[in-house]
Amino acid sequence: MAAKKIDFARLATSLRPDTVASLNAFRRRHTDLIKQISDLREQSTSINFEGYRNVLSNKKIVNDAEKAFAAFRPAAYDLKEQLRVIEAQEAKAIAAAEATERRINQEMVELKELLVNIETARPVDQLTVDDVVKAVPEIDSIVEKMVKRGQWRLPGYYEKFVTFVLVT
C-alpha cells in the first residue's frame, strides 16, 4: 500500500499548514474507511433460513425470501464519471504540487545565492561609503535631500537605537 511508504512526518514539515490539515483529514477519512471495510468483511453474510422456517408458520414467505436472496445480484454501476472526476482532481493536485515544487526550487536557488553573498561579504567595519552607495545608489539622492533641508538625523533612528552617553 502506497500510504505506508510515505513518511508523513517529514512531508508535513515541507508543506503549507492548510495543505497539512487537508492531508491529515484525508488520512483520517482513509483510516476510518479501511476500518469500516474490515469490520464489514468480518460480519457474517449467511442467513439461516431453516431457523426462520422453524419459527414462522408461513413457510411460503421464507421460501420466497430464500429464492429472492439466491437470485439477488448486486447492481453494476458505471464508474467512468466518478473516475473521470477523480482523475481531474488528481491532475489538479499534481499541477499544484509541481507548481509548489518549482516555487520552492526557485526559493532554494535564491536562498543559496543569498547565503553565498552573506558568506563572501566583507564585514561591516571594512565597508566604505563608496561601497554602500554602489550597493544602494538611491542613498546618494536621499542624503543630498536631507543635507539641503538641514536634516541631520534619520527619522526614528534615536527612537529605535538609544544614544549612549558616557558619564565620567
Side-chain angles (χ1 to χ4, degrees):
M1 186 173 244
K4 292 180 181 178
K5 295 180 182 179
I6 297 173
D7 183 5
F8 285 103
R10 190 173 66 90
L11 180 64
T13 60
S14 62
L15 296 175
R16 295 188 323 233
D18 58 330
T19 307
V20 172
S22 297
L23 180 64
N24 287 337
F26 175 79
R27 287 181 58 205
R28 246 188 324 278
R29 286 192 312 268
H30 178 262
T31 304
D32 291 345
L33 287 174
I34 294 296
K35 183 181 181 304
Q36 188 177 5
I37 288 170
S38 70
D39 290 346
L40 289 173
R41 283 184 179 154
E42 291 173 4
Q43 289 181 358
S44 175
T45 57
S46 62
I47 298 174
N48 184 4
F49 288 104
E50 286 303 319
Y52 287 108
R53 281 191 188 94
N54 293 337
V55 173
L56 297 174
S57 59
N58 190 348
K59 311 282 190 239
K60 185 176 185 302
I61 293 176
V62 177
N63 290 338
D64 290 345
E66 187 174 15
K67 286 178 189 174
F69 181 75
F72 174 76
R73 296 292 172 252
Y77 290 102
D78 184 18
L79 300 176
K80 290 179 184 174
E81 182 64 27
Q82 286 90 349
L83 291 174
R84 188 186 60 73
V85 169
I86 290 171
E87 288 171 358
Q89 288 178 341
E90 183 179 296
K92 286 180 186 176
I94 289 172
E98 289 172 348
T100 301
E101 180 185 20
R102 284 190 299 274
R103 190 180 75 241
I104 288 173
N105 286 338
Q106 179 62 32
E107 287 178 15
M108 289 296 293
V109 167
E110 292 170 2
L111 288 172
K112 285 179 183 177
E113 289 174 3
L114 179 63
L115 182 61
V116 167
N117 286 343
I118 290 171
E119 289 174 344
T120 59
R122 285 189 292 175
V124 176
D125 59 349
Q126 294 179 6
L127 290 177
T128 64
V129 172
D130 293 332
D131 293 333
V132 175
V133 170
K134 186 177 176 184
V136 186
E138 58 268 11
I139 286 182
D140 232 357
S141 62
I142 293 170
V143 170
E144 285 179 24
K145 285 181 193 175
M146 289 175 69
V147 169
K148 286 179 184 175
R149 293 185 205 152
Q151 184 180 5
W152 302 104
R153 291 183 169 196
L154 291 174
Y157 179 83
Y158 290 103
E159 289 79 14
K160 188 172 182 178
F161 303 104
V162 180
T163 306
F164 293 105
V165 178
L166 293 176
V167 179
T168 55

